[in-house]
């Protein structure tokens, strides 16, 4: 599959102006009021557009100009833009470089591991690099072992409004490994014995001890994990020694759970060093650095093509992968980008230029994954982005929502936050028509109340929010059934 080459006016494909093609707002369609009331929602909480993707004609709508929280639906325009900017064949590269002289198995110089923003980099990829290094005869390094993360800005988390312990709110950086999560294991001791704890970087083929994480045992009720706090009141996970957590075992808690890596470059370098020992290569402790111009390329690992990675993002909705791909595309357009809001703005601006008659008022995307309760998009804006993405990108959409199969003929990207549910993509009606749709339901008041009382140590979604999401999923299913049968 080939996608069109990027152009500032046609970043997301050749957008047809929505207001020029659509029926006037107020288009008639299947009656949704019974479904909304039956599922316990106010009509003000719901917005959608059902449209013909070819002509842009609106067939049914509710509050098309009201901004809603997109949640992971934001990944759809992010992947469409990245494919247009970088190309479907783009591959991310992770490299090893050497300086100095190599003789008798000894590298009398530095070894540098450089990240290229590969969202799929795993321990197996690092082992591949080590095999190539071993093939050069290297068994020991007398200089430094450096890790270079300069290709992308590094940040300790995606969204500061999420729990510290959420495994989906990881650090972001050019050298990211095993989706920047680690598994924490602990065991209750026998009487008089200390609690045993361990941290592991886990891939499909095994696990490696994660030396960049230290855990301080404590006692307390209400929360098992808290990042240790530095003098300025911020989590101390950004200190050079690595990330540090306080662990207070709670009654009946699981013996194993996933936590986010907040220093991704350092963590990846420590895993590499552990794997190097297994490969018979002795390395010093890692330190941050940069590849000098005189260095020699020693090994190269390339990801799968971006088209494959984008399909995985749209199906599995990994937040880190979406952010890394979006950052790479935005920095291709503007190398000065340093934050996720800046990156999202860079990728959104060309789409807005390509559809000047679309009302972009209220659009606010703070990252590429949708992991933010503050991001906003309207159903009409989502419609324009779906049209702009084009058939090649829409074909990458899955036929499932959070692992559950959607009705036959529905291919869409789902989005879920506490008190926010969204789904956008295409469906096939009983009459054989292919239509586009963008559906949102958000309870602004309950979300705001939850955020005001959030304890960042607690990752679990409140039971009341889980019940709300169950009703939102039922409303989504009812509307899909209505649209498929009625048009």
């Amino acid at each position: 599959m080939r996608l069109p080459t990027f152009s500032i006016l046609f970043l997301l494909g050749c957008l047809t102006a929505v207001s020029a093609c659509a029926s006037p707002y107020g288009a008639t369609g299947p009656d949704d009021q019974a479904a909304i009331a039956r599922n316990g929602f106010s009509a003000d909480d719901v917005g959608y557009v059902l449209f013909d993707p070819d002509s842009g004609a609106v067939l049914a709508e509710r509050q098309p100009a009201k901004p809603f929280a997109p949640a992971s639906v934001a990944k759809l325009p992010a992947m469409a833009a990245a494919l247009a900017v970088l190309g479907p064949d783009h591959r991310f590269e992770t490299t090893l470089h050497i300086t100095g002289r190599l003789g008798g198995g000894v590298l009398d110089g530095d070894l540098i591991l450089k990240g290229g923003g590969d969202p799929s980099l795993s321990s197996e990829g690092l082992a591949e690099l080590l095999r190539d290094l071993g093939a050069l005869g290297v068994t020991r390094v007398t200089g430094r072992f450096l890790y270079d993360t300069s290709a992308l800005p590094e940040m300790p988390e995606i969204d500061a409004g999420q729990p510290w312990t959420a495994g989906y709110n990881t650090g972001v950086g050019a050298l990211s490994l095993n989706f920047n999560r680690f598994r924490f294991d602990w065991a209750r001791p026998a009487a008089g014995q200390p609690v045993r704890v361990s941290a592991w970087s886990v891939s499909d083929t095994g696990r490696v001890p994660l030396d960049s994480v230290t855990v301080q045992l404590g006692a307390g009720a209400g929360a098992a994990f808290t990042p240790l706090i530095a003098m300025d009141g911020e989590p101390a996970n950004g200190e050079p020694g690595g990330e540090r957590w306080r662990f207070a075992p709670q009654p009946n808690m699981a013996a194993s759970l996933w936590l986010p890596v907040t220093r991704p470059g350092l963590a990846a370098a420590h895993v590499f060093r552990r794997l190097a020992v297994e490969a018979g290569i002795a390395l010093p402790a890692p330190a941050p650095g940069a590849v000098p111009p005189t260095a020699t390329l020693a090994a190269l690992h390339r990801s799968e093509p971006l088209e494959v990675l984008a399909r995985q993002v749209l199906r599995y909705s990994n937040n880190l992968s979406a952010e890394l791909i979006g950052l790479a595309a935005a920095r291709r357009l503007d190398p000065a980008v340093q934050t996720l809001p800046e990156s999202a703005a860079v990728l959104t601006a060309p789409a807005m230029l390509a559809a000047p008659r679309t009302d972009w008022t209220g659009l606010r995307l703070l990252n590429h994954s949708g992991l933010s309760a503050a991001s906003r998009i309207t159903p009409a804006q989502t419609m324009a982005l779906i049209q702009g993405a084009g058939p090649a990108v829409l074909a990458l959409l899955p036929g499932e929502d959070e692992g559950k199969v959607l009705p036959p003929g529905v291919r869409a990207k789902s989005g879920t936050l506490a008190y926010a549910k969204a789904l956008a993509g295409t469906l096939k009606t009983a009459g054989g028509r292919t239509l586009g749709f963008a559906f949102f339901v958000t309870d602004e008041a309950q979300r705001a109340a939850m955020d005001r009382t959030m304890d960042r140590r607690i990752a679990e979604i409140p039971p009341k929010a889980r019940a709300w999401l169950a009703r939102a999923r039922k409303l989504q299913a009812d509307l899909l059934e209505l649209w498929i049968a009625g048009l």
Side-chain angles (χ1 to χ4, degrees):
M1 179 187 75
R2 298 297 303 181
L3 294 173
T5 302
F6 167 73
S7 163
I8 194 66
L9 293 179
F10 296 96
L11 172 63
L12 301 180
C14 192
L15 284 172
T16 303
V18 174
S19 61
C21 298
S23 301
Y25 284 143
T28 60
D31 184 11
D32 61 3
Q33 296 184 25
I36 293 172
R38 181 170 61 249
N39 289 287
F41 290 99
S42 163
D44 290 338
D45 293 337
V46 181
Y48 63 78
V49 174
L50 182 69
F51 62 95
D52 185 313
D54 296 323
S55 68
V58 173
L59 306 176
E61 62 183 16
R62 177 173 290 278
Q63 300 195 105
K66 179 178 179 176
F68 291 86
S72 286
V73 164
K75 293 181 174 74
L76 174 53
M79 292 305 99
L83 285 163
V85 173
L86 300 173
D89 298 324
H90 176 80
R91 295 173 185 259
F92 295 89
E93 297 182 348
T94 307
T95 52
L96 271 182
H97 305 261
I98 58 176
T99 66
R101 299 178 59 185
L102 174 61
V106 177
L107 174 61
D108 188 15
D110 295 338
L111 177 69
I112 308 104
L113 173 65
K114 182 177 175 61
D118 182 358
S120 61
L121 183 65
S122 66
S123 297
E124 291 73 38
L126 297 186
E128 178 185 310
L129 292 171
L130 284 164
R131 284 194 295 272
D132 290 345
L133 185 65
L136 296 177
V138 177
T139 60
R140 185 164 64 91
V141 174
T142 64
R144 300 169 297 173
F145 169 42
L146 305 176
Y147 61 96
D148 184 343
T149 62
S150 60
L152 295 176
E154 185 165 289
M155 53 202 78
E157 59 185 350
I158 295 171
D159 179 51
Q162 303 297 321
W164 284 316
T165 56
Y168 52 79
N169 188 35
T170 68
V172 178
L175 191 55
S176 293
L177 182 72
N178 296 333
F179 300 110
N180 287 351
R181 301 189 309 165
F182 72 94
R183 199 183 77 190
F184 176 81
D185 294 343
W186 73 287
R188 288 191 181 276
Q193 298 297 313
V195 174
R196 298 191 305 273
V197 300
S198 56
W200 306 88
S201 184
V202 181
S203 67
D204 289 341
T205 60
R207 64 181 190 174
V208 178
L210 188 54
D211 300 317
S212 63
V213 173
T214 57
V215 178
Q216 173 183 305
L217 291 174
F225 283 94
T226 307
L228 294 180
I229 304 299
M231 294 299 293
D232 60 1
E234 293 297 318
N237 287 344
E239 293 182 352
E243 45 195 284
R244 300 186 291 125
W245 294 83
R246 178 181 175 274
F247 172 56
Q250 303 296 304
N252 303 316
M253 71 172 287
S256 179
L257 71 161
W258 293 99
L259 291 170
V261 168
T262 62
R263 298 283 316 281
L266 179 63
H270 273 290
V271 172
F272 184 88
R273 187 186 186 213
R274 282 273 188 171
L275 294 173
V277 171
E278 295 179 6
I281 302 173
L283 296 179
V291 177
T294 56
T296 300
L297 178 66
L300 166 68
H301 171 76
R302 306 181 75 204
S303 73
E304 291 187 282
L306 179 56
E307 179 185 338
V308 174
L309 300 179
R311 184 188 294 274
Q312 293 171 349
V313 168
L314 294 173
R315 181 180 182 187
Y316 299 111
S317 209
N318 183 269
N319 293 326
L320 171 66
S321 297
E323 302 299 357
L324 290 174
I325 292 171
L327 273 170
R331 283 171 66 89
R332 174 72 65 86
L333 300 177
D334 182 359
V337 164
Q338 291 295 318
T339 69
L340 294 177
E342 289 174 356
S343 185
V346 165
L347 288 195
T348 304
M352 297 167 69
L353 289 174
R357 297 183 185 178
T358 298
D359 183 1
W360 295 102
T361 304
L363 179 66
R364 186 173 186 241
L365 298 180
L366 298 183
N367 52 42
H368 305 291
S369 66
L371 186 62
S372 171
S375 288
R376 293 292 182 271
I377 194 169
T378 71
Q381 291 161 358
T382 308
M383 169 183 162
L385 294 173
I386 289 173
Q387 285 187 283
V393 175
L394 296 179
L396 302 179
L397 289 171
E400 58 187 55
D401 175 4
E402 299 176 23
K404 296 181 179 179
V405 176
L406 290 166
V410 178
R411 303 182 67 90
K413 181 71 196 80
S414 65
T416 305
L417 291 171
Y419 298 112
K421 184 72 181 77
L423 191 73
T426 62
L427 60 82
K428 184 163 290 187
T429 70
R433 299 178 67 184
T434 297
L435 302 178
F437 70 93
F439 159 79
F440 301 91
V441 55
T442 303
D443 191 317
E444 300 275 2
Q446 293 202 72
R447 177 69 206 201
M450 191 189 84
D451 289 340
R452 285 193 300 269
T453 60
M454 177 182 289
D455 183 344
R456 293 200 73 194
R457 300 173 302 168
I458 308 299
E460 292 78 13
I461 185 172
K464 186 177 179 181
R466 286 199 300 270
W468 185 97
L469 284 170
R471 290 191 290 112
R473 292 186 183 98
K474 184 59 169 61
L475 172 60
Q476 172 184 289
D478 288 351
L479 290 179
L480 286 174
E481 181 180 3
L482 196 66
W483 296 336
I484 291 170
L487 292 169

